[in-house]
Amino acid sequence: MTAEVTKLIHKYLRHDKKFPHVWCPGCGNGIVLGALIRAIDRLGLSKDEIVLASGIGCSGRMPVYVDFNTLHTTHGRALTFATGVKLAKPSMTVIAIMGVGDATAIGGNHFIHAARRNLDLNAIIINNQIYGMTGGQFSPTTPYGSHATTSSYGHIEHAFEIAELAVTAGADFVARGTVYHGQLLEDLMVKGLQKRGFSVLEVMSNCHVQFGRRNDMADPVTMMKWLRDRAVNIQKAQEMTPDELKDKFTIGILADEEKPVYTEEYQKIRDRARQALER
Ligand SMILES: Cc1ncc(C[n+]2csc(CCOP(=O)(O)OP(=O)(O)O)c2C)c(N)n1
């Protein structure tokens, strides 16, 4: 381990209290956590300025391990808690880390409405194609035809494309990365954290234990190669035909807009209401 990594571990992780972690060996969640703390370190944000909120799931364990202000809440409700924190403490950098069930099944409505409102929040969604923690039930991103404990004869539903959904719902900043492309992931996190407004980062990740094992990719390397081979840079995708893009997904920045931010508009309303009462 390099001195730099050791420094980051001691600075940002609750390594002496909360480890060992619950994640399976080779889980992509560790890569997401690494990219997140490197991004925060690059931005020079103080640990006290950051709130990391989660729901329930393997990804939901992340706040347990980091030495920020942390909230480990109920399944599907990471964004609701994050919204409350941001409205009460607008100076905080508030990040919600979610699994696909958390963000797009039980929490799906919260997700699209947070995007529509353009709250100044950072949503990081770990898309591992499955419900990891509860044993591999299919999720809203399980690919058509693949296998899960609840679709053992092949999945007959079609998957959400989370980043595209976020763009359509109105998020100011939307990006997609993978756990294979580590440096890009870190750079996208830096950009998202710097952005005012709702920023969404979808991270294509590997759950080789619950998803890969049932789909001929039982080890992390095979799953990461599967992600690598399907990922297409968003600029390159513009020159490709729909046929060439079949079964691929784009990585990079999908949207970077500047709309009025809810948290700031809300403050203006409060000021106007106060002035009206004083008149
Ligand atoms: C209200 C409620 N419903 C269901 C559950 C059971 N449950 C816990 S985690 C989870 C899904 C986990 O999948 P995901 O959100 O994709 O996260 P992952 O574990 O894959 O990171 C479910 C259904 C729960 N804890 N609370």
Side-chain angles (χ1 to χ4, degrees):
M1 211 178 285
T2 65
E4 184 59 21
V5 173
T6 311
K7 194 191 96 194
L8 291 177
I9 288 173
H10 284 261
K11 187 169 172 190
Y12 293 105
L13 300 186
R14 293 172 176 155
H15 60 94
D16 50 346
K17 297 190 198 87
K18 298 294 179 184
F19 279 63
H21 57 72
V22 298
W23 297 327
C24 304
C27 175
N29 288 353
I31 295 176
V32 180
L33 172 59
L36 182 63
I37 62 175
R38 287 195 302 277
I40 284 167
D41 198 65
R42 251 168 77 182
L43 288 170
L45 292 168
S46 133
K47 292 192 286 185
D48 291 338
E49 291 169 351
I50 299 167
V51 179
L52 187 65
S54 74
I56 301 293
C58 297
S59 44
R61 293 286 299 186
M62 199 171 287
V64 175
Y65 306 127
V66 288
D67 193 24
F68 306 134
N69 301 286
T70 54
L71 282 167
H72 188 195
T73 72
T74 48
H75 191 38
R77 301 295 181 265
L79 280 169
T80 61
F81 284 85
T83 300
V85 171
K86 186 68 190 181
L87 291 177
K89 290 250 174 214
S91 61
M92 291 279 181
T93 296
V94 183
I95 306 164
I97 184 93
M98 294 170 281
V100 282
D102 241 359
T104 64
I106 191 169
N109 244 9
H110 295 297
F111 177 59
I112 56 175
H113 289 286
R116 178 181 61 80
R117 287 187 191 125
N118 202 27
L119 289 148
D120 186 15
L121 297 175
N122 303 278
I124 299 174
I125 300 153
I126 304 183
N127 183 353
N128 60 0
Q129 288 87 38
I130 204 89
Y131 285 6
M133 179 162 270
T134 41
Q137 297 84 0
F138 65 74
S139 81
T141 60
T142 302
Y144 177 82
S146 61
H147 298 270
T149 47
T150 44
S151 60
S152 43
Y153 296 100
H155 193 42
I156 58 171
E157 295 182 10
H158 302 278
F160 266 147
E161 290 179 325
I162 296 178
E164 284 76 1
L165 176 67
V167 174
T168 310
D172 246 9
F173 181 87
V174 181
R176 190 191 280 115
T178 83
V179 292
Y180 178 84
H181 304 84
Q183 186 59 53
L184 175 68
L185 192 62
E186 184 185 319
D187 294 346
L188 294 173
M189 283 187 186
V190 167
K191 289 213 164 69
L193 288 167
Q194 283 175 317
K195 184 77 188 178
R196 287 167 57 252
F198 197 62
S199 96
V200 177
L201 175 61
E202 178 184 5
V203 187
M204 303 301 284
S205 186
N206 61 296
C207 179
H208 48 283
V209 174
Q210 298 295 6
F211 179 77
R213 187 159 51 97
R214 297 185 173 88
N215 293 282
D216 301 323
M217 298 182 284
D219 65 276
V221 175
T222 309
M223 269 213 81
M224 286 174 93
K225 286 183 176 160
W226 178 69
L227 294 173
R228 176 198 66 190
D229 294 345
R230 290 192 307 138
V232 179
N233 183 285
I234 184 102
Q235 270 86 37
K236 193 176 168 212
Q238 276 153 17
E239 296 150 20
M240 291 168 70
T241 63
D243 249 15
E244 288 169 331
L245 284 170
K246 199 169 170 292
D247 298 327
K248 307 268 191 226
F249 57 84
T250 53
I251 54 172
I253 297 173
L254 281 77
D256 193 356
E257 307 288 332
E258 294 286 343
K259 288 197 292 290
V261 177
Y262 182 93
T263 2
E264 292 164 13
E265 297 298 300
Y266 183 73
Q267 190 56 47
K268 288 183 207 162
I269 292 279
R270 287 180 63 175
D271 294 344
R272 284 210 290 274
R274 193 175 301 120
Q275 281 162 15
L277 282 174
E278 283 165 5
R279 247 185 263 130

